[in-house]
Amino acid sequence: MSLRMTAKSAAVAAASIALIATAVTGTASTTPSGTAPAAAPVSASGDNSNASVWGPREGRLPLLGGDVPCAEGAFCLYDTAGGSTHFELPHCTTYNLNNWNGIGGWYSNQTGGAVARIQDSRHNTIWSVWPEGFNYYADLSPAYYVVPC
């Protein structure tokens, strides 16, 4: 048995500790599915300046400004950590994420106990997000889909 810790396992351990700590203080909104979210690196693989979200009903969703709050009943994706510009995902369907290359955030303002799933390229759930009204952020580079219900 090796006690050597890789950078990836150290990031997962740090994220797990952070999630436990925030759960104890009541400020965590995200519970991982399968693995803990990676700790946000100091500099992500890129930025989200060209990020977009596509829905089957709406086509390309508009990027909403900071003066527009995340609507009640919606799941919102933010193009930066702690940012104010966001995409609003209002329907129970699969949304496609394009050009998410760095740190972004999410806010679940959903009602009725809907649990959103952020998924990788194979539709495996990376994060499950409960509607508790808290923000969370991470490197969204591995995210390809969001199912907000």
Side-chain angles (χ1 to χ4, degrees), residues 64-121:
L64 303 173
D67 58 336
V68 179
C70 184
E72 183 175 344
F75 180 83
C76 295
L77 279 177
Y78 292 80
D79 59 349
T80 61
S84 58
T85 54
H86 64 278
F87 296 94
E88 199 169 270
L89 290 64
H91 302 292
C92 182
T93 189
T94 300
Y95 290 90
N96 296 314
L97 306 182
N98 294 316
N99 299 314
W100 288 81
N101 300 311
I103 302 294
W106 55 81
Y107 178 80
S108 180
N109 202 18
Q110 299 183 98
T111 58
V115 177
R117 296 178 313 278
I118 300 173
Q119 301 175 330
D120 66 14
S121 62

Side-chain angles (χ1 to χ4, degrees), residues 29-33 108-110 113-116 127-134:
S29 66
T30 303
T31 301
S33 176
S108 180
N109 202 18
Q110 299 183 98
V115 177
W127 297 284
S128 294
V129 185
W130 278 256
E132 297 175 348
F134 294 107

Side-chain angles (χ1 to χ4, degrees), residues 129-148:
V129 185
W130 278 256
E132 297 175 348
F134 294 107
N135 288 338
Y136 191 79
Y137 64 92
D139 183 357
L140 292 172
S141 299
Y144 282 75
Y145 305 100
V146 174
V147 182

Side-chain angles (χ1 to χ4, degrees), residues 15-58:
S16 297
I17 291 168
L19 283 173
I20 291 167
T22 54
V24 169
T25 63
T27 59
S29 66
T30 303
T31 301
S33 176
T35 61
V42 172
S43 113
S45 57
D47 65 33
N48 296 319
S49 59
N50 293 316
S52 63
V53 178
W54 294 75
R57 296 181 188 179
E58 308 89 346

